[in-house]
Amino acid sequence: MDKPLIDIRDLWIRFPGVHRSIDAVRGISLTIGREKVGIVGESGSGKSLTGRAILKLAPNSARITARRMDFDGIDLLAAPERKMRAIRGNRISMILQDPKFSLNPLMRIGNQIMEAYRLHHRVSIAEAKRRALAMLEAVHIRDPERVFMQLPHEVSGGMGQRIMIAMMLIPEPDLIIADEPTSALDVTVRRQVLSILDELVTRRGTGLMFISHDLNLVADFCDRVLVMYAGRIMEDMPARELHNAQHPYTRALLNSLPRLDHPVEELRVPSRDPAWLHEKVIERRENV
Ligand SMILES: Nc1ncnc2c1ncn2[C@@H]1O[C@H](COP(=O)(O)OP(=O)(O)OP(=O)(O)O)[C@@H](O)[C@H]1O
Ligand SMILES: [Mg+2]
């Protein structure tokens, strides 16, 4: 693999408390290249915090330490806020779950996309507008001129999510961190939005960190999957191997998914073994 975009060694995220501290992320190491890496794991396992730590957007109360946290050779831990502002939204973009919280409700969609571009690129308004319209077309919005003039509440959820993707892609970032970007959408629209994201990141060779609860989705959509449990990475494997996962936790997550072709009477809840917290990561790489 080429030099990875993200190189993290031994990342810890701790919330100090008066009586007891919480270690939300407990010594994880990972790399992300120009590939689609899925991060799965149950609620509270530390997926979002890991994504936010990369952009240094974790809550103020979080204590973040690592032996290394590099983005494209830049030491993020040492980077001052000024440098982080230049990285955020320009070289690394983050797509969040719900566009309602990320789009400005009072500003026309076109202006928001143009602003996302002009924040980091010195171009004329006419040029920014041309690019914003092209980007709306790239995310398969049929009538870009009309949507350009609309306000966020005037578009559907699926369209809002596509607009978010347009906004995040227009600065041509090297890495996108997508935190449950489609969980607010219904199943058919979800696949549609993902295939657009896929088309654009694959064409540009953008790295993607795709955080999701949905193991099936990740197995189809990503190249590689990291399985998190209680702040640790339990397993790291090619996505298409997910259904042959070895770790009992990953197996339990897979078994607890409802399946249309095998209706179950009762959904199983994964059982846990305290010994998992001290195990080594199961790593499987492609033999290429
Ligand atoms: N501001 C905070 N103060 C204290 N603890 C926090 C705070 N934010 C997160 N945590 C802790 O960090 C853990 C991991 O949070 P994180 O948001 O990364 O989970 P997640 O894997 O993204 O879960 P979900 O799937 O529900 O989004 C939580 O279980 C919680 O204990
Ligand atoms: Mg989360």
Side-chain angles (χ1 to χ4, degrees):
M1 194 166 68
D2 300 338
K3 215 169 142 295
L5 284 170
I6 289 289
D7 188 355
I8 293 178
R9 291 291 132 91
D10 203 22
L11 170 68
W12 287 79
I13 304 179
R14 167 171 288 187
F15 292 96
V18 182
H19 301 294
R20 201 172 71 90
S21 299
I22 299 170
D23 286 320
V25 170
R26 312 190 316 132
I28 64 170
S29 298
L30 62 111
T31 58
I32 301 177
R34 295 191 177 273
E35 58 182 334
K36 291 173 280 175
V37 178
I39 310 230
V40 296
E42 65 189 350
S43 190
S45 53
K47 306 179 299 292
S48 298
L49 277 176
T50 303
R52 291 172 63 181
I54 293 173
L55 284 169
K56 296 226 255 182
L57 291 176
N60 279 337
S61 53
R63 294 284 160 274
I64 300 180
T65 58
R67 272 192 290 133
R68 180 187 300 161
M69 193 161 79
D70 288 359
F71 163 67
D72 199 19
I74 302 166
D75 178 356
L76 294 175
L77 285 173
E81 180 55 25
R82 180 175 42 80
K83 186 151 197 178
M84 289 312 299
R85 271 202 298 269
I87 291 174
R88 283 184 210 124
N90 183 28
R91 300 206 57 202
I92 308 178
S93 288
M94 191 154 184
I95 305 178
L96 295 171
Q97 187 166 352
D98 196 334
K100 280 199 282 296
F101 298 112
S102 310
L103 295 172
N104 180 341
L106 302 175
M107 195 170 166
R108 293 189 194 283
I109 284 163
N111 290 343
Q112 299 194 45
I113 301 177
M114 276 170 56
E115 193 164 276
Y117 189 66
R118 277 166 51 91
L119 204 58
H120 299 285
H121 295 85
R122 288 176 182 279
V123 293
S124 66
I125 292 188
E127 170 63 11
K129 179 164 186 189
R130 193 189 61 74
R131 278 182 176 265
L133 287 170
M135 200 64 231
L136 285 173
E137 256 185 77
V139 294
H140 299 216
I141 284 176
R142 252 174 267 127
D143 191 354
E145 297 271 359
R146 188 170 59 87
V147 173
F148 192 93
M149 296 305 293
Q150 280 180 325
L151 288 166
H153 74 265
E154 295 173 304
V155 301
S156 68
M159 208 189 267
Q161 204 54 295
R162 280 186 272 164
I163 291 164
M164 277 296 299
I165 293 175
M167 256 174 81
M168 295 304 144
L169 283 168
I170 200 168
E172 307 205 344
D174 299 286
L175 178 74
I176 294 175
I177 301 172
D179 192 353
E180 311 266 4
T182 58
S183 56
L185 305 176
D186 65 49
V187 182
T188 45
V189 184
R190 184 178 304 171
R191 293 268 166 187
Q192 225 177 31
V193 168
L194 281 181
S195 75
I196 294 165
L197 182 62
D198 190 20
E199 181 188 312
L200 296 171
V201 298
T202 307
R203 196 165 64 211
R204 294 179 175 181
T206 312
L208 179 68
M209 176 172 175
F210 186 83
I211 299 171
S212 176
H213 277 103
D214 189 336
L215 275 76
N216 283 323
L217 198 71
V218 164
D220 288 352
F221 178 65
C222 293
D223 305 315
R224 195 150 63 85
V225 186
L226 309 179
V227 182
M228 283 190 77
Y229 170 70
R232 302 202 59 201
I233 292 173
M234 308 305 282
E235 205 162 2
D236 176 349
M237 71 198 131
R240 73 182 115 87
E241 304 263 313
L242 187 61
H243 290 280
N244 307 317
Q246 289 175 355
H247 197 282
Y249 176 66
T250 316
R251 295 235 54 88
L253 274 183
L254 285 165
N255 290 335
S256 64
L257 289 176
R259 289 182 50 169
L260 288 176
D261 50 342
H262 284 284
V264 285
E265 308 251 302
E266 200 179 320
L267 287 177
R268 264 190 275 169
V269 177
S271 59
R272 296 120 219 284
D273 180 342
W276 293 349
L277 298 177
H278 310 288
E279 277 175 9
K280 279 187 65 144
V281 183
I282 299 178
E283 242 179 283
R284 282 196 283 159
R285 299 282 169 180
E286 315 244 23
N287 307 317
V288 279

